[in-house]
Amino acid sequence: MLDSTLQGTFDQVLRRNAGEPEFHQAVREVFESLELIQDRHPEYQEHGILMRMCEPERQIIFRVPWVDDQGVTQVNRGFRVEYNSALGPYKGGLRFHPSVNLGIVKFLGFEQIFKNSLTGLPIGGGKGGSDFDPHGRSDGEVMRFCQSFMTELHRHMGEYTDVPAGDIGVGAREIGYLFGQYKRLTNRYEAGVLTGKGLDWGGSLVRKEATGYGAAIFADEMLKARGSSFEGKRVAVSGSGNVALYAIEKAQQLGGVPITASDSSGYVVDENGIDLQLLQQIKEVERGRIHEYADRRGNGARFVKGGSVWDVPAAIALPSATQNELSEADAQTLVKNGVEAVSEGANMPCTPEAVTVFREAGTAFGPGKAANAGGVATSALEMQQNASRDAWSFEHTERRLTEIMKNIHSTCLETAEELGRPGDYVVGANVAGFRKVADAMIAFGVI
Ligand code: NDP
Ligand code: 2IT
């Protein structure tokens, strides 16, 4: 139960945003942490911060018509939720997946506010996307969809206004089509208006790797804080997209042995350690399915259709696919198998019940808004490079990313300690992320 003030605001959120369970879940988790600071910050209540924080500054919903390869007209729905600009321009990815609806975009946008605040960089929170499914679509179809999507979205964007990037279903190909159409519509080469761009046209080194690298670095920091490490340990990873691939790479560099990857059809287990080059060839280059990895790897790698990747015993888990992919039962299995650390590469992949299991078992648990902040942080570094018309080296950019992840880790730990909840990264991330945004909102008055 929440205390009565928080519960009252939460009830309003439920009434106003009916039928959006993921959004409710994200808000509730933050409110549970805020309970710890209610008494210390009467000014937050006085200035209506909670209710203002839950209400997006602006929500844009639009029709996205396009013509498929058969000449048939298709209609999708586009979204951009410009959630909070207290700390900087709205910043956050675009997701193209059939499950996208307003509630999903709001949950992601809400999380993004606190994540972006934790990076320490000047970025506000936003999120967008569409229920368009790029799977099985030709490049021409994806291009026409992206052009139609941008024809509406461009009027809301700007280097100092709103800066989208990728998320599920939106990678380098889609960012290219989106940027091309933005450039054509505006007749301006405003590189800083989108991040995740190609390296030849304003992109930043390390942006592609940043989210996965960051999630593994965050896990490493949690392990180090308890005198442990990745060295020689089995690592379970879910997903096989942008985040998963580079979480695997960094986990290997840190001495771990990633043994799994998955997609929505099932998972593969490779007891000899994932062959990253093969996985990248199948997933990044050929856009294939995960069973092909087991088909081509031989050597004991196996594909399990459906099922749960969390059944595979591992010391470190990096859920990197999608929301609510790791259930209470999965968490119990991981704990039974001796998991030491869980670092969320995806946004909200663990259900609230699963998080409770990890907390009670004493597993080091890094929530997404801290653990996967490396992606958006490196997007902000891309914006810095665009603004100064510069391009940094891989080494320099990776050093910046590592410093940012270490800072987020220590901020979470110190805040948790201050609140009398040592080692609780969830309350640390929520309270530290929230306070900066709330204080800026108070400074600006009621707007
Ligand atoms: P990708 O589209 O590159 O990859 C997504 C992966 O997750 C695919 O393997 C996909 O399988 C799987 N997946 C997606 N939806 C489902 C589902 N409903 N059930 C099972 N598997 C699913 O996306 P990203 O790697 O970029 O994103 C992964 C997660 O990380 C998301 O939660 C995203 O919000 C989060 N994130 C991403 C950041 C980034 O910079 N890209 C930054 C921070 C967080 P399939 O192909 O079969 O659908
Ligand atoms: O969830 C996320 O942080 C992202 N998809 C990355 C957002 C960004 O603007 O780089």
Side-chain angles (χ1 to χ4, degrees), residues 42-52 438 441-443 445-446:
E43 71 276 19
Y44 292 163
Q45 208 180 317
E46 189 188 323
H47 293 273
I49 292 296
L50 276 182
M51 204 55 226
R52 283 201 277 150
M441 287 172 72
I442 290 176
V446 178

Side-chain angles (χ1 to χ4, degrees), residues 91-93 108 112 115-116 127 163-167 195 207 211 347 372 375-376 379:
K91 183 82 197 87
L108 290 163
Q112 200 84 46
K115 181 196 303 192
N116 294 4
K127 199 83 187 188
V163 183
D167 192 82
T195 60
R207 175 62 190 89
T211 311
N347 285 306
N372 72 39
V376 75
S379 277

Side-chain angles (χ1 to χ4, degrees), residues 175-256:
I175 294 292
Y177 295 145
L178 291 164
F179 186 66
Q181 183 72 353
Y182 182 87
K183 193 169 78 60
R184 185 178 192 194
L185 286 164
T186 58
N187 193 32
R188 286 162 66 89
Y189 205 110
E190 262 183 79
V193 82
L194 268 173
T195 60
K197 296 182 297 296
L199 296 177
D200 294 331
W201 39 277
S204 171
L205 285 162
V206 193
R207 175 62 190 89
K208 179 174 73 169
E209 294 85 354
T211 311
Y213 274 21
I217 293 169
F218 198 88
D220 194 43
E221 290 298 302
M222 294 196 296
L223 289 163
K224 282 199 263 183
R226 38 176 72 200
S228 185
S229 78
F230 264 95
E231 203 53 52
K233 305 237 173 85
R234 289 162 63 94
V235 185
V237 179
S238 63
S240 49
N242 174 260
V243 178
L245 290 173
Y246 295 97
I248 289 173
E249 182 163 89
K250 184 51 78 180
Q252 286 173 343
Q253 290 171 7
L254 291 166

Side-chain angles (χ1 to χ4, degrees), residues 398-446:
E398 192 182 13
R399 210 174 315 120
R400 293 284 309 263
L401 167 65
T402 307
E403 274 166 24
I404 292 167
M405 295 315 297
K406 288 186 175 182
N407 273 334
I408 296 175
H409 175 267
S410 54
T411 301
C412 292
L413 266 195
E414 283 156 20
T415 309
E417 188 81 36
E418 172 206 326
L419 299 170
R421 298 281 284 270
D424 189 334
Y425 293 94
V426 174
V427 300
N430 285 336
V431 169
F434 178 88
R435 278 204 288 225
K436 272 179 67 178
V437 184
D439 294 345
M441 287 172 72
I442 290 176
F444 297 153
V446 178

